[in-house]
Amino acid sequence: MSQALIKRLGEAIAQSAGQRDSISLIVYTPFGIVRGDLTQEKWQAAAQTLTAGDGVIELQRAVVEHYSNHIPTGNYAALSISLKDISGFSVIKEL
């Protein structure tokens, strides 16, 4: 999953080149649904960590909707997520 994720995100960033400096994502993790932005710089860093072993992706302006309803929604300037913890993702197409 990690290599497929990095490959697909690289394709999405390439498609948005010249239009935006980041892509918007929805990521499904064990702790909740995360919405955030991925810059090309952070994607390149994730690709490098993947080749070194366990990969980590850092989303900017992240919002976490926790699966547990007693934990409030979290808002973070930056949130790092282990690639092995991502069970699914969606690239949000900007209009």
Side-chain angles (χ1 to χ4, degrees):
M1 173 68 165
S2 297
Q3 291 178 343
L5 171 64
I6 291 297
K7 181 181 179 197
R8 176 61 187 108
L9 294 177
E11 292 168 355
I13 287 174
Q15 288 176 353
S16 70
Q19 300 169 9
R20 297 189 60 209
D21 61 348
S22 65
I23 57 172
S24 297
L25 299 175
I26 298 174
V27 178
Y28 299 90
T29 69
F31 54 86
I33 298 169
V34 181
R35 289 176 171 78
D37 296 329
L38 179 66
T39 64
Q40 182 168 357
E41 176 187 349
K42 299 301 181 185
W43 170 78
Q44 289 173 336
Q48 290 173 354
T49 62
L50 181 61
T51 58
D54 291 337
V56 174
I57 194 167
E58 183 179 316
L59 297 180
Q60 307 297 306
R61 295 174 294 283
V63 177
V64 179
E65 295 176 21
H66 295 279
Y67 290 134
S68 176
N69 60 3
H70 70 276
I71 300 175
T73 298
N75 295 292
Y76 306 94
L79 179 68
S80 296
I81 304 169
S82 173
L83 292 173
K84 67 181 178 181
D85 287 337
I86 297 175
S87 60
F89 66 95
S90 178
V91 177
I92 311 261
K93 188 73 171 176
E94 300 293 328
L95 298 177

